[in-house]
Structures are given as structure tokens and as C-alpha cells.
Amino acid sequence: MERLLGAPVATLAVVVTLLLAVSVGVVAALALRNRVFFKLGLRNVGRRRARTAIIVVGLMLGTAIIASALSTGDTMASTIRSSVVRTLGNTDESVGVKGAHATAVTVGPTADTAYFPEDRVETVWAAAAGSKLVDGVAPAIVEPVAMQDVTSMQNEPRVMLFASDAARLAGFGGINGPDGHVVLSDLSAGEVFLNDKAAEKLSAARGDEIAVLAAGKLTSLRVRDVVRYDGAGTDGAAVLMTLSGAQQLLGQPGQINQILVSNQGNATSGAQYTDAVRGQLQPVLDPLGLEARPVKQDGLKVAEAQGNSFMSMFSTFGTFTIAAGILLIFLVFVLLAAERRGEMGVARAIGTQRGHLVEMFLFEGMAYDLIAAAVGAGLGVLIAFGMVHVLASALSSQGLDLRFTVEWRSVVLAYSLGVLLTLLVVTVSAWRVSRLNLVAAIRNLPDPVKRRKRRRWLLGAIGIGAGIMMTVSGVMGSQATPLLVGVSIVIVSLVTVLAALGVNERAAYTIGGLTLVVWLLLPFSAYKAIAPDLSMDFSVWVANGLLVVIGTAWTIVYNADVILAVTLRVFGRFKSLAPVLKTSITTPLRSRFRTGMTLAMFTLVVFTLVVGTTTSGAFTSAMDNLDAFGGGYQVRAEVAPISPVDNISEASRSVPGLPANAATRVASESFVPVSARQAGTSSYQDYPLRGVDDTFAQTTTYGFATMAKGFTSDRQVWDALASTPGLAVVDPMVVPRRNNWGFNVPPDFQLTGFYIEDKTFDPVTVETTDPRTGTSQRYTVIGVLKESVPYSMGGITVSQTSLAAYGDRARPTVYYFALADGVDPVQAAKHIETAFLANGMQAQAFSEMLDETVGTSLTFQRIILGFMGLGLVIGVAALAVISARSVVERRQQIGVLRAIGFQQRMIKLSFLLEASFVTLVAIAAGTALGLIVSFNVITDAAQLPSWDNLQFIVPWATLALIFFVVYAAALVTTWAPARRAARVYPAEALHYQ
């Protein structure tokens, strides 16, 4: 990726690395100044290797999440960038007829072939010759054709024909054959090159005879060789031939449809000169009706945007795991302090300063940190590799060839961010644990409770003031995150105030925790009652999840005796089990902070998994609706722009292989590339203009997310579109939304003045202009399609009558087939494709399109859930640390229990039940919280027309699997410490010093 959070990745990597160097330098200076404490700090790293390994695991996860998110972004950006390079090769600008091709969203082929005289290339070369920025100018024909291999009898309805002048292709990269470099001039009359993908699809080989169907005629040619060439206008199947041969084949003597321009530099670096080159060429091109399109620049821009989108998605969902990792780091150093409490007390007694203790922990933490971040960066790359491998299999059906790529700067950035993040937490933890009472520490007694009313009043007042200001900001700006967080800060601050007033801790934290939970679990309608136009995005989910878990942990930890009482009432009848239960539940309550941290970690993991599983499953089920996805049709087909079908209804009445009148109706669409803007704005953006015939408008079942005032049903909108020229509907991607839960990259063309969540809106006027002819049209937008419609419905949709001003440019090139009952859409698509092979028709059943869409969505969901599930490792590590420490801390207690009759199995069971208490409470709390939040999300979304079929269904089977994994991991982690505790002999334990 080139940019992260709006900043260049390379620059960001340098800045963060410098910050890391400064931080390490400061720690190194402290180490040189206090070498004894440096050695003491490092000595602790190797004293307990198992503990060190656990600490490293906890510290590395934050880095692993960051590294995997950046690596996934690199892969997606590199994949699309590679596709751009394979398509364009060294071509940086493409000169063609103005407005002949859209450079934004393309959802269907246009019927405009847009040829112009070949001699225009001399004019372009003359304009570029004086510049040192251009190293190649070549004429070209790039046009899709249909082909059949006569030998294998394999058809391919869409192969990109690429033809150029061999003498002018020197600056555009070489054509590589199996025996070395070849050129187009090597071809004899009637010969062509096939690229490897075309050869694969046609099952073709050197010497095969192929039939090319183009311009209404069939021509037989011979395969000279199978080659590899980047720049044929596609990253898929392509056939390469001489320019004169293509002109003869297509019936375009002396004509071309593109002039390719290659800038100085390689396949990607040349794009940096695009603006200068276009500025030099455009004055010459304008009088000729031509334009230089920044094809390479646009392609790389899309690649970068998609890479950033994927990075944002994975880093957002990884936020909870990073948060759990921070809790684990804090917990680890608290436990380390507890373990060395007596040692630190003695050190303070003999003159060691508090700052020296902080430095010792800082030196130790830095040693862990530097190792853990390196391991985490490597693990993150491996995680990304696994995710990419799974994604590649899911996206291969859509023609996207994922290839794992990771940039060195991303690894450096992840490592540096990981070290700095964990170092910050380590520093705060070290400062906290250094605060101890000397006498209490040396005697191993609890620290005396310090009543700091003035400090509590001050912190409470500051928190309440800050929370109120944030709340007002959220209400005034209609932003959900400041509103929710602001009120939460006020609630948390009130807990401090209650404590300052002398209210019992249990009451203060219970009131605060319950209030926090209730506030954050209110239905979205309650928040919208406070701020009607409230906007939400994923930051709401992140903030909500973290804060609601804090409130829940407070409530549970300070009321765990209630859980104990209920448990004893249920299981206390088993006399042998009662003492073990009482011990296993009361022991964690002795250290509320430690238990609360662990409980919060596990609850957070379960909460995120439950919300992710439930909500994603609901949206996928709602999307998996063939009737809504197909809009009343079963097959969608496209034809080559140079070979549209004149009367598709008549032509499709009898399709070989299908019953007569298998297609009960056929609708058509046309596409015209235009520049569009909302009336009153200044910037035009390229966007496709779609024309649908009366059959489509009168029969489609596609619905609308929002409609203009005066319309009350989907059918009214479509009928008005068909009967009244000048009306239009748009796809949902061009309309802003208050609740932005997606990571899709929106097109540059956007409407303003209303939101997709609005039930109605004032009609919006859109101005379109044809860059080729200068024709301008105005359309009134009266509807926005539902978010569940397929991507192929993107664009500004008007009636075919409304495109009359564009003439032959608006000839239909996309067709929809509604089939009779009993006709298999998949087989029908194959027969239709074969019947119209001469037109280069590609047909696909909507059922297959839906399966691909849902399959890809499910794959993404599973990867995201697995990504969030990394938090389980954190919870497991926390239990491992706590269990190991408990055996040491409670050695004498274990000896006493053994002496009064506790058997080994009872001690072992006690430790396992402690882990079970934390884990099962976390599972119950996380599940309850997750289901309530999921219900709120789904209920709110179901009120929108886009998702009116959305239902709240609890996926109990999936959740049961999650619960089993969580609980099993907890027991496995606790098993070894439990066995070690059970083997403690009473005599040894009671004499333990």
C-alpha cells in the first residue's frame, strides 16, 4: 500500500521508526546510567523461561494483528496493481475518442466502437516527441471478439483482440513465446498469437485452427504460438495480431480505436508523469475530438483504495484483540509485581528509589517487547498468508487472482508500532506496580487502603466535565460515538464521586456498572430520540464493546458472592463438591483486579465472536434471496460492443437445446459512458448511464431503499420511469448514509442533500454530459435501489427513451431472460451463450452469480471471525499466567487444605473450577451482551427498506462450537498448573519459605 490513514506508508514507516529509535535510545541511556538495575531487569527474563514465553505470546499479538492487517492490504493492493499492469503493460495513457469509454465504474459494455483514422498517431507522436517524458507511442485496436478452437471445439465468447504496429511497440514491453522473444511482424497472413489464458480457455495449442466471430462474420485463423504479453488490454484471455490483419477482420480499414502512450520509467513508475503528459497532449487532441485518458493512474488509484479498504476492515475487527492484548500486558506486569513484591520491598528499604524500580521493569519489558514484536510481525505475515490463501480460493471464481505480497515497509511499520504500543503499556504498568508500602511488601501483607477524597473529587469532576462536553458534541454533530462515549465517561466518573462520598465500593461499582451496561444496550431508537439524525459507523461498535464489557466486569466482580450463593444452592447438596466449589469461587474474589481483568478479556472475546457471528449470518441470509437478487429474471447476458443483437426477443424465441419459448420475456439494457454531477455542484465525474427498455421497467422486481416524495411503492417508481422521459434511479453506492457499516470504496460521483436511510427525499436533478459529442441531458432522480441489488445494477438508470439523444451509442448490449417453469437457468445460460456466440455473448444464471456473492461473503465472514478469535490466545495466556502464579501464591494454603482432608483430586478440581468460573461467567456474559447488541443492530437495520427481510436468528450451533473451544482452551491451559498444585505435599508446603 502507498498510504495509511491519509499519510504515505513510506513516510509513516520512517517517522514511526525514528520514534522507536528515540524510545530505544532513551531506554539505552537509562541502562548506561544505571547498569546494575539494567542487569537486574534482564536477569529476570531468563529466570523462568515458561513465564517468559507466555509474556512474549501476550505482547506479540498486538503486533501480529497490525502486521496481518497491513500485509492483507499489501496483497489486495498488489493484486489489483498486478492486474492493472497485466492489462496495460507499459501503457500509461490511452488516447481515444472523447467519451468513448468510462473510467469509473463499469457494469456493462457500451455499443460505441469509437474508431478514428490511424494517421492520428503521427500527430500524437509529433506532440510528444519534444518531451523527455514519453518513450513510446503506438496505434492499437483493442476489441473483444468471440472465438472457437476448431480442433478442441471449445468456445470462448469473450477474448480480447489486441493489434498494433510491431515497429512502434518497442517502448511497450516484449512479447515472450516459449522459444524466446517474438514480435507481431513474425506473424504471416492468417496467423495470430494467443496468450496463455486464451489457450487455456480454448484448450488451444500451437498450430490449432481457430474461428474468430466478429463484425457479423466468421474468419479462420491459425495459432502461431502461445505467448505472454502484458498490455493486451486485459488480464484475461487475449489474441494478438497485426494491425492490418485486425482492421481487415473487423472491417475497419485504416482505423484504430486507441493510441497507446508509454511514459519514461517502468510499468508503474511512469504513471507519475501522466498529468504532465496529458497537459502536453490535450491541446493537440482537442481539435481532433480525442482525449488522453489516465488509464494507468486510475488503475493504480483503485488498487490503492481497495488495499486501504481491506487493511481498514481487518484492523477494525482486530481492535478488540489488540485491546485484550493490552489488558494482558497490564495483567502480566501486575502479576510480576506481586511475585516480586517482597524483593521490591527489601530493595526500597536499602535505598532503592521508586524510579529505579520503574526502570528495572522497563528494562525487562523492553527485552520482552523487542523479541515479542519481532515474533508478532512474523506471525502477522503468516496469518495474512493463510487469510490470503483462503480468500484466493473464494475470489478465483470472480477472476481475481490473489497473490500474497508483503512490503518491507509494512513489516517495519508493524514492528515499530507494536514495540511502541506495548512499550507504552509496559511503562504505565511499571509505574503502577512500583507504588508499594515498604512494610506491607516485606511482610507480604496487603497494602493499606489510601483514602484520597480530594483526588477522587478532582478526577470525578474532570471526568464529568469532559463527558458532558463530549456528549454535547455528539448531539450537536449527530455523531453516535461521542454521544455514547461521553455519557459513559460521565457514568464512570460518577463512580469516583460516589466513592469520594463514602459510598460502599460494591454499591458504587455495581450502580456504575449496571448503569453503563443499560445505557450501552439501549435500542438504537433511544439514541435517535436524543439526536434524530444520528450517524453511526464501526467506531460505535468498538467503543460500545469495550465499555459494555467494563461495566459487566465491574458488576460481576463486585457481586460474585451472589453467583457463589446461587451455585452452592444448586450444587451444594453434593457434600463432596460443596467445599471445592466454595474454595474455587471465593479464591478469585480475593483479587478482584486480577479476576476482573481476566474476566474482561474472555468476555470481550466472546462478545465480539457472538456479535460477528449473529449479525453477519443475518445479513448473509437476507442477501441470499434469489428472487430479490435477480429482479424477476433468471439469466443475465452481455454481448460484445461491436456485435449487438438487433431484436433479441425474436432471436431468442428458438434457442438450440432449449424448448420453444423457453424465455417467457427478454429485457434489454444499454450503457453510455458519461460525466455526471448533481445540479448545483461544480465537478463532473465519470459514471455509467444505463437505459432499460419498457419490458424491464414494467416487470422488474428490484426494490428501492428510498423514494422521492409522492411515490409510495416500488412499482410506482418503475412505471413512472417507463412512462415519463427524464426520470432516473441510482444505485445505493452514490448516496451517503448515516450508518456506515461497510468498507466499500464509493465512486467519485456522489449525491448530497439526503441519506439512504431517509424514507423519502426531494427529487434530485442530475446533469450528464457526453464528452464525445458535448450532448447534455438532465435527469430527475426519483429512487435509490436497495443495497441488496447486485453490483451489475450500478449506474444511473433511465428509460431507453430517455437515451434517444445518444442515437446508436445507446444500442442495447445487456439482456435479461425470464425463463418458463421447469427450465434450468444454468443450462439455459450455456445454451443461450452458444446460440449467440457470434455476438460474443457471455451469459450467466443469477443463481450462480448469487452463489458466488454469498460464497465470497461467507468466506470473508469466517476469516474475520477467525481474526477476532485470536483473542482466545490472549485469554488462554492470561489463564496460564494466573494459574501458574496461583500455585506459587497459594502453596501454604494448599498445604493447609491437604492437611485438613482435601485430596489431590479435590485440589486439582478446585483449580479447574476456578478457571471454569471465570470462563463460564465470561461465556454467559459475553453471549448475553452479544445477542442484545446483535438484536439492536438487526432490528434497526430491518426498519430500512433495503433489509426489510432481515431477521434475528441465533446461530446456536456456531455459538456452541465457539463456547466449546473457549471452555476447552481454558481447561487445557489450567490442567498443568492444577496437576502441579495437586502434587504439593502438606509438610513441604507448610514449611515453605
Side-chain angles (χ1 to χ4, degrees):
M1 295 186 304
E2 297 298 326
R3 304 184 73 84
L4 174 64
L5 301 177
V9 172
T11 303
L12 194 60
V14 171
V15 172
V16 174
T17 303
L18 288 176
L19 288 175
L20 174 61
V22 171
S23 301
V24 174
V26 171
V27 175
L30 292 174
L32 291 174
R33 180 182 174 186
N34 300 290
R35 297 184 181 183
V36 173
F37 296 112
F38 175 68
K39 292 179 180 179
L40 289 174
L42 291 187
R43 182 191 63 173
N44 291 320
V45 174
R47 291 173 65 183
R48 291 183 176 86
R49 294 181 180 178
R51 181 74 56 80
T52 298
I54 294 173
I55 293 172
V56 169
V57 168
L59 293 175
M60 75 181 186
L61 284 174
T63 308
I65 296 298
I66 297 170
S68 56
L70 289 173
S71 298
T72 305
D74 282 342
T75 295
M76 297 307 299
S78 175
T79 296
I80 301 174
R81 192 161 50 241
S82 296
S83 176
V84 172
V85 171
R86 288 195 300 271
T87 300
L88 300 174
N90 284 5
T91 299
D92 294 295
E93 296 86 37
S94 172
V95 175
V97 174
K98 284 186 178 180
H101 301 279
T103 57
V105 178
T106 301
V107 292
T110 64
D112 190 355
T113 53
Y115 281 85
F116 56 93
E118 180 183 349
D119 58 14
R120 296 288 190 265
V121 71
E122 297 295 341
T123 305
V124 174
W125 174 246
S131 170
K132 296 181 179 180
L133 302 179
V134 175
D135 60 12
V137 175
I141 290 178
V142 182
E143 196 77 74
V145 296
M147 297 183 65
Q148 179 186 70
D149 185 282
V150 178
T151 304
S152 65
M153 297 304 294
Q154 185 71 37
N155 299 330
E156 181 55 38
R158 192 66 57 85
V159 178
M160 190 63 70
L161 183 153
F162 174 82
S164 186
D165 183 352
R168 290 184 175 273
L169 278 181
F172 294 86
I175 303 173
N176 298 310
D179 300 323
H181 183 71
V182 296
V183 294
L184 290 178
S185 57
D186 293 338
L187 296 172
S188 301
E191 288 186 333
V192 296
F193 292 129
L194 292 183
N195 73 354
D196 49 357
K197 290 192 176 182
E200 179 183 353
K201 290 190 173 185
L202 290 167
S203 299
R206 178 189 296 184
D208 279 7
E209 180 185 351
I210 60 171
V212 178
L213 300 96
K217 62 180 181 179
L218 185 149
T219 304
S220 294
L221 302 170
R222 188 176 68 85
V223 179
R224 171 69 178 263
D225 226 329
V226 177
V227 301
R228 171 64 189 265
Y229 178 65
D230 291 340
T234 180
D235 63 348
V239 55
L240 283 65
M241 60 191 308
T242 62
L243 185 60
S244 59
Q247 290 170 338
Q248 182 179 355
L249 174 72
L250 300 173
Q252 298 285 351
Q255 300 286 302
I256 56 176
N257 63 2
Q258 290 188 36
I259 298 175
L260 310 180
V261 180
S262 171
N263 298 345
Q264 292 286 347
N266 58 32
T268 55
S269 64
Q272 64 183 310
Y273 305 120
T274 290
D275 293 339
V277 171
R278 293 181 70 205
Q280 182 176 350
L281 295 180
Q282 205 57 51
V284 177
L285 299 177
D286 282 336
L288 304 175
L290 303 176
E291 64 177 345
R293 296 184 290 269
V295 288
K296 181 70 66 62
Q297 197 176 73
D298 287 347
L300 295 179
K301 178 182 176 182
V302 171
E304 183 61 25
Q306 292 292 346
N308 283 333
S309 174
F310 275 85
M311 186 281 300
S312 298
M313 178 172 60
F314 285 106
S315 59
T316 298
F317 286 108
T319 301
F320 291 103
T321 304
I322 294 175
I326 291 174
L327 290 176
L328 177 58
I329 296 168
F330 201 76
L331 177 64
V332 163
F333 277 85
V334 168
L335 293 177
L336 287 176
E339 180 180 338
R340 301 170 191 165
R341 193 160 172 267
E343 177 186 328
M344 290 191 297
V346 172
R348 287 295 307 278
I350 62 176
T352 302
Q353 300 297 314
R354 181 181 169 191
H356 294 150
L357 295 182
V358 174
E359 289 179 14
M360 287 173 59
F361 273 100
L362 187 60
F363 296 145
E364 182 180 356
M366 177 61 85
Y368 293 136
D369 197 6
L370 293 174
I371 299 171
V375 176
L379 178 63
V381 172
L382 290 177
I383 292 171
F385 178 80
M387 291 192 299
V388 169
H389 179 73
V390 176
L391 280 174
S393 60
L395 297 177
S396 59
S397 61
Q398 300 183 17
L400 191 59
D401 184 18
L402 285 187
R403 297 181 181 180
F404 179 72
T405 304
V406 58
E407 301 281 348
W408 66 267
R409 57 194 177 191
S410 295
V411 178
V412 170
L413 182 59
Y415 177 79
S416 301
L417 285 174
V419 173
L420 290 172
L421 174 65
T422 50
L423 181 61
L424 176 63
V425 180
V426 165
T427 303
V428 174
S429 304
W431 173 80
R432 182 187 185 279
V433 301
S434 66
R435 302 170 61 198
L436 72 159
N437 181 280
L438 295 181
V439 176
I442 294 173
R443 295 182 177 182
N444 198 26
L445 298 173
D447 284 330
V449 179
K450 298 180 180 180
R451 302 294 182 182
R452 298 174 175 172
K453 289 188 176 182
R454 182 177 300 177
R455 181 179 177 184
R456 287 181 173 179
W457 276 110
L458 179 62
L459 291 176
I462 293 174
I464 291 173
I468 291 174
M469 286 190 293
M470 187 176 288
T471 302
V472 173
S473 172
V475 173
M476 298 297 291
S478 297
Q479 296 293 321
T481 301
L483 170 62
L484 294 175
V485 175
V487 174
S488 299
I489 291 175
V490 172
I491 294 171
V492 172
S493 301
L494 284 174
V495 173
T496 305
V497 173
L498 289 175
L501 291 172
V503 176
N504 178 271
E505 264 195 348
R506 172 175 178 169
Y509 280 95
T510 300
I511 293 172
L514 287 175
T515 306
L516 195 60
V517 171
V518 170
W519 162 247
L520 294 170
L521 294 183
L522 289 174
F524 290 169
S525 57
Y527 307 133
K528 292 177 180 178
I530 300 173
D533 296 328
L534 204 61
S535 298
M536 299 184 182
D537 56 21
F538 269 104
S539 64
V540 172
W541 185 52
V542 173
N544 224 32
L546 295 175
L547 290 169
V548 78
V549 166
I550 290 174
T552 303
W554 281 357
T555 305
I556 293 174
V557 169
Y558 282 93
N559 294 275
D561 56 332
V562 178
I563 300 176
L564 173 61
V566 173
T567 304
L568 287 177
R569 181 175 293 274
V570 175
F571 298 101
R573 68 190 68 178
F574 304 103
K575 294 184 179 181
S576 60
L577 190 60
V580 177
L581 278 174
K582 185 171 291 188
T583 303
S584 60
I585 296 179
T586 55
T587 300
L589 298 182
R590 294 174 56 190
S591 179
R592 287 176 175 168
F593 179 79
R594 181 189 307 179
T595 302
M597 294 276 283
T598 310
L599 182 65
M601 277 184 258
F602 263 112
T603 303
L604 191 60
V605 174
V606 175
F607 168 80
T608 56
L609 290 174
V610 170
V611 173
T613 301
T614 307
T615 55
S616 62
F619 279 97
T620 300
S621 297
M623 184 174 60
D624 192 8
N625 185 323
L626 185 57
D627 292 335
F629 190 80
Y633 294 86
Q634 288 75 49
V635 175
R636 182 182 186 273
E638 296 181 2
V639 296
I642 60 173
S643 305
V645 183
D646 290 329
N647 192 331
I648 188 66
S649 296
E650 290 294 331
S652 61
R653 289 187 184 279
S654 179
V655 175
L658 293 179
N661 296 318
T664 56
R665 66 177 183 275
V666 182
S668 61
E669 284 182 346
S670 59
F671 291 87
V672 179
V674 298
S675 293
R677 69 178 182 182
Q678 184 174 345
T681 60
S682 58
S683 178
Y684 277 98
Q685 302 292 340
D686 292 334
Y687 212 65
L689 181 62
R690 172 204 309 272
V692 296
D693 65 4
D694 291 344
T695 300
F696 184 93
Q698 293 168 2
T699 60
T700 184
T701 57
Y702 285 130
F704 295 94
T706 180
M707 295 174 282
K709 293 178 180 178
F711 295 94
T712 58
S713 70
D714 300 335
R715 180 43 43 204
Q716 283 185 354
V717 175
W718 285 117
D719 288 345
L721 185 79
S723 61
T724 307
L727 299 183
V729 299
V730 295
D731 66 87
M733 290 298 294
V734 304
V735 179
R737 55 207 67 216
R738 292 191 180 91
N739 301 334
N740 188 11
W741 304 107
F743 294 93
N744 294 322
V745 180
D748 292 332
F749 171 68
Q750 291 285 295
L751 300 180
T752 59
F754 68 101
Y755 293 92
I756 197 169
E757 292 89 354
D758 295 340
K759 293 183 178 179
T760 60
F761 64 93
D762 292 323
V764 174
T765 301
V766 172
E767 299 174 343
T768 64
T769 182
D770 181 359
R772 181 177 179 182
T773 63
T775 302
S776 295
Q777 297 287 314
R778 292 169 65 92
Y779 299 102
T780 302
V781 177
I782 60 172
V784 180
L785 290 166
K786 287 185 176 181
E787 296 180 82
S788 56
V789 300
Y791 175 79
S792 59
M793 285 299 295
I796 303 169
T797 302
V798 300
S799 66
Q800 189 66 29
T801 305
S802 297
L803 295 184
Y806 295 101
D808 288 342
R809 299 194 67 200
R811 293 178 63 188
T813 54
V814 173
Y815 308 100
Y816 292 84
F817 297 85
L819 304 176
D821 293 339
V823 178
D824 182 1
V826 176
Q827 293 301 317
K830 293 179 180 179
H831 290 301
I832 291 170
E833 192 172 273
T834 302
F836 294 96
L837 179 63
N839 301 94
M841 181 175 284
Q842 285 185 316
Q844 188 175 18
F846 273 105
S847 58
E848 289 185 316
M849 296 168 61
L850 180 60
D851 288 344
E852 291 175 1
T853 302
V854 172
T856 302
S857 178
L858 287 173
T859 300
F860 272 104
Q861 290 171 20
R862 290 162 185 159
I863 289 176
I864 292 296
L865 290 175
F867 202 63
M868 293 188 295
L870 290 173
L872 287 176
V873 180
I874 294 175
V876 168
L879 281 178
V881 172
I882 290 175
S883 299
R885 177 61 193 161
S886 294
V887 175
V888 177
E889 285 181 338
R890 295 162 52 192
R891 188 176 179 86
Q892 290 184 324
Q893 177 190 342
I894 293 170
V896 172
L897 291 174
R898 290 295 310 279
I900 63 176
F902 268 62
Q903 300 176 359
Q904 285 190 0
R905 61 180 179 80
M906 296 175 70
I907 297 295
K908 187 187 300 181
L909 182 60
S910 178
F911 272 81
L912 293 176
L913 287 177
E914 283 183 35
S916 298
F917 167 73
V918 173
T919 308
L920 293 177
V921 170
I923 288 175
T927 301
L929 297 175
L931 290 179
I932 293 173
V933 169
S934 300
F935 178 80
N936 290 341
V937 171
I938 293 170
T939 302
D940 183 67
Q943 297 175 7
L944 302 176
S946 285
W947 303 106
D948 53 3
N949 61 336
L950 197 64
Q951 295 182 339
F952 175 71
I953 301 174
V954 181
W956 289 117
T958 304
L959 295 182
L961 177 61
I962 294 173
F963 301 156
F964 174 78
V965 172
V966 172
Y967 186 55
L971 294 183
V972 169
T973 302
T974 313
W975 179 255
R979 288 185 61 189
R980 190 161 59 251
R983 292 175 180 175
V984 173
Y985 290 101
E988 293 180 1
L990 294 175
H991 287 85
Y992 175 71
Q993 298 295 330

